[in-house]
Amino acid sequence: KRAVQDAAENAGARDVILIEEPMAAAIGVGLPVAEPAGSMIVDIGGGTCEVAIISLAGIVHSNSARAAGGDAMDDCIRGYIKRVYNLHIGERTAEEVKIKIGSAYPTGEESTMDVCGMDVVTGLPKTLTITSEEIRTALKDPVTLIVDTVRSTLDKCEPELAVDLIDRGIVLSGGSSQLRGLDRLLSKETGLPVVVADDPLSAVAEGTGVVMSELDVLANHNKR
């Protein structure tokens, strides 16, 4: 935090206010962060999965998993295809596979996709057909880590805030929160209602914009 603040000040900023990413995401999706009741946000971006329980404009409990973001999911897909089929695919191809047929929980609509890459043995281009069930297997480790991170954060939650979460549930934000079935899996594992934000990709940016225009909303939070 000091490094970020020093860098901003050295760049000429007159005043520097830091905000945690899950707090910005919570504000961006419209959670009532300033109320005394508890709200829970799970922000799954490209690099990390950030989980936070928020109340009274502050983060009560938080947790972070570095190997559970979208980039880690892409790496797992690439590793699986290379290990099983001896096919090396690029990062963009892996992301496309994740978006088109990736899932965290059976959706009842299994699908397939043709994947192009370089055969590791022959060194020649090759195309194969892969199923959504296989990709679900490939994504097991990062998805399990997301579930474990959410559950470990809930384990720290005070009873009063836990009661609030039963009613309010968990909100997912970030691009990788759109992985099919992830909301259903988290709901099954936690027993809480889980919803994906209407615009999960821009939640952090929207929340940061709100903070910049209404800094008094997080006055107490920024003093910590």
Side-chain angles (χ1 to χ4, degrees):
K1 288 184 178 181
R2 284 195 300 269
V4 174
Q5 186 166 355
D6 290 343
E9 291 174 347
N10 292 335
R14 183 177 63 183
D15 190 18
V16 180
I17 296 176
L18 303 181
I19 178 172
E20 288 88 347
E21 187 171 344
M23 176 64 80
I27 296 172
V29 302
L31 289 178
V33 297
E35 294 183 2
S39 299
M40 187 168 189
I41 185 81
V42 178
D43 183 66
I44 311 172
T48 60
C49 167
E50 304 281 349
V51 182
I53 297 174
I54 299 170
S55 181
L56 290 173
I59 294 179
V60 182
H61 298 294
S62 65
N63 213 336
S64 176
R66 293 184 179 274
D71 295 340
M73 294 180 187
D74 295 343
D75 289 341
C76 286
I77 291 174
R78 297 179 67 196
Y80 176 87
I81 293 177
K82 184 176 182 180
R83 183 174 63 254
V84 176
Y85 295 104
N86 287 324
L87 188 72
H88 180 69
I89 64 172
E91 295 177 0
R92 285 188 300 176
T93 301
E95 184 175 17
E96 185 179 2
V97 170
K98 177 185 67 179
I99 293 172
K100 288 189 174 181
I101 64 172
S103 64
Y105 193 79
T107 60
E109 298 179 359
E110 301 298 337
S111 55
T112 62
M113 177 179 174
D114 290 336
V115 178
C116 300
M118 188 71 69
D119 192 303
V120 176
V121 178
T122 65
L124 299 174
K126 179 181 176 181
T127 301
L128 62 85
T129 301
I130 194 164
T131 68
S132 55
E133 186 176 0
E134 288 180 286
I135 299 305
R136 189 160 56 248
T137 300
L139 294 175
K140 181 178 180 180
D141 287 346
V143 167
T144 300
L145 184 54
I146 291 173
V147 173
D148 290 344
T149 304
V150 171
R151 294 183 68 172
S152 64
T153 307
L154 285 171
D155 287 342
K156 304 173 186 176
C157 186
E158 290 77 2
E160 293 81 3
L161 296 181
V163 172
D164 298 329
L165 296 181
I166 293 175
D167 296 327
R168 298 189 175 197
I170 302 172
V171 178
L172 306 183
S173 67
S176 296
S177 69
Q178 300 174 98
L179 183 67
R180 293 176 185 82
L182 183 58
D183 52 344
R184 293 176 58 188
L185 177 64
L186 285 172
S187 181
K188 175 177 176 290
E189 294 293 332
T190 63
L192 299 174
V194 179
V195 297
V196 181
D198 292 336
D199 188 6
L201 280 170
S202 62
V204 173
E206 292 284 352
T208 303
V210 171
V211 173
M212 291 181 66
S213 60
E214 302 179 23
L215 292 177
D216 57 321
V217 172
L218 288 181
N220 294 330
H221 170 71
N222 293 324
K223 292 177 182 178
R224 299 185 180 185

